[in-house]
Amino acid sequence: MKRTGSNFKYSKETEELARFSKALGHPARIIILKHLSNQSCCYTGELLDVLPLAQSTISQHLKELKDAGLIDGEVSPPKIKYCIHTENWMKAQKLFDTLFKEDFKKIKCC
Amino acid sequence: MKRTGSNFKYSKETEELARFSKALGHPARIIILKHLSNQSCCYTGELLDVLPLAQSTISQHLKELKDAGLIDGEVSPPKIKYCIHTENWMKAQKLFDTLFKEDFKKIKCC
DNA sequence: ATAGTATATCGCAAATGTACGATTAATATT
DNA sequence: AATATTAATCGTACATTTGCGATATACTAT
């Protein structure tokens, strides 16, 4: 993002929604999230059986989800338990909800 | 996406949700969508006043939103009216809703 | 016909994303 | 201590995204 000199700033909410969306913007990561929830939350590496990807690639996707704040990893040697980050997940839910609700107020026109 | 030989396929829903998410994955595009809705739907190029981006860049973002199916453009010379693509928008709403609901069934664990 | 307006598209540069295999790190088990 | 297991990280290759200015297109108005 360059944004040419101008010190324009997107609102925090907008940035956040974009960040969450971006994290959801790859099918593998959606699968991961669904899997995390189905398996009653915390979980990890049998993602290798679920996704057609190399271990390192999956690890990378997990990192992105973590960076976006959607999941959380707890070390529980030798494995690592990943869970959905409840607080942020709720925040994301709310942000999406708002976006869609807002937009629906005035839809249907042209 | 390479996915190594294996002819794995993500489900249509997963692909779709990822596609919508990706389109929402940039603050400028979220602004555009919000703007489209606020201005009672159809609209166009005063996005130049709303966003700190070059006209060509905005045009590109619009194209991406259109490719993702979230908006629709109707020529109305000399301008072009953009609207939210109601049908797909509702579909997106439903997909996000399902994702969050699903995940909430079993949340709160670790 | 000419000029003007609104947008799209092209060509480019830089940054980011996706994927892999190989390596490293941390811990558990023997 | 040596080995095995799990997962992160590194280095690399290639694709995609983001942004810009310049140019092309399409239509209006003069």
Side-chain angles (χ1 to χ4, degrees):
Chain A
M1 261 160 262
K2 216 190 301 181
R3 253 172 273 151
T4 345
S6 84
N7 43 0
F8 179 93
K9 265 286 196 181
Y10 293 108
S11 81
K12 205 188 156 206
E13 290 201 345
T14 298
E15 293 272 15
E16 212 154 38
L17 184 49
R19 188 162 53 86
F20 289 141
S21 298
K22 202 170 178 183
L24 290 170
H26 191 291
R29 293 196 288 269
I30 288 179
I31 302 259
I32 290 174
L33 287 170
K34 290 201 174 188
H35 195 75
L36 280 183
S37 64
N38 283 341
Q39 304 297 320
S40 84
C41 183
C42 314
Y43 235 92
T44 182
E46 77 275 9
L47 292 170
L48 278 166
D49 300 329
V50 178
L51 289 165
L53 297 170
Q55 179 263 321
S56 58
T57 305
I58 290 175
S59 203
Q60 236 173 211
H61 282 304
L62 285 168
K63 183 168 155 38
E64 271 177 74
L65 286 171
K66 201 159 65 177
D67 288 348
L70 290 175
I71 66 173
D72 220 1
E74 289 179 32
V75 189
S76 155
K79 305 193 183 185
I80 295 190
K81 281 209 293 189
Y82 278 107
C83 329
I84 286 175
H85 188 302
T86 316
E87 192 186 321
N88 284 337
W89 186 257
M90 278 167 46
K91 196 192 273 180
Q93 185 176 35
K94 202 171 294 173
L95 285 169
F96 280 110
D97 228 60
T98 304
L99 176 72
F100 284 110
K101 229 169 257 150
E102 228 175 76
D103 280 330
F104 254 141
K105 278 187 312 200
K106 313 219 183 150
I107 240 170
K108 202 74 205 164
C109 61
C110 47
Chain B
M1 263 161 258
K2 217 191 298 180
R3 253 172 272 150
T4 345
S6 83
N7 42 1
F8 180 92
K9 264 287 195 181
Y10 292 109
S11 80
K12 206 188 155 204
E13 290 201 347
T14 298
E15 293 272 15
E16 212 154 37
L17 184 50
R19 187 163 54 86
F20 288 141
S21 298
K22 202 170 179 182
L24 290 170
H26 191 290
R29 292 196 288 269
I30 288 179
I31 302 260
I32 290 174
L33 287 170
K34 290 202 172 186
H35 195 75
L36 280 183
S37 65
N38 283 341
Q39 303 298 320
S40 84
C41 184
C42 315
Y43 235 91
T44 182
E46 78 274 10
L47 292 169
L48 277 165
D49 300 329
V50 178
L51 290 165
L53 297 169
Q55 178 263 320
S56 59
T57 306
I58 291 175
S59 203
Q60 236 172 212
H61 282 303
L62 286 168
K63 183 169 156 37
E64 271 177 75
L65 286 171
K66 201 159 66 177
D67 288 348
L70 289 175
I71 65 173
D72 220 2
E74 288 179 31
V75 189
S76 154
K79 304 194 183 185
I80 296 190
K81 281 209 293 191
Y82 278 106
C83 328
I84 286 176
H85 188 303
T86 316
E87 193 186 320
N88 283 337
W89 186 257
M90 279 166 46
K91 197 193 273 179
Q93 186 176 33
K94 202 170 294 172
L95 284 169
F96 280 110
D97 228 61
T98 304
L99 176 72
F100 284 109
K101 228 169 259 150
E102 228 176 76
D103 279 330
F104 253 142
K105 278 187 311 198
K106 313 219 182 148
I107 240 168
K108 204 72 207 164
C109 60
C110 45

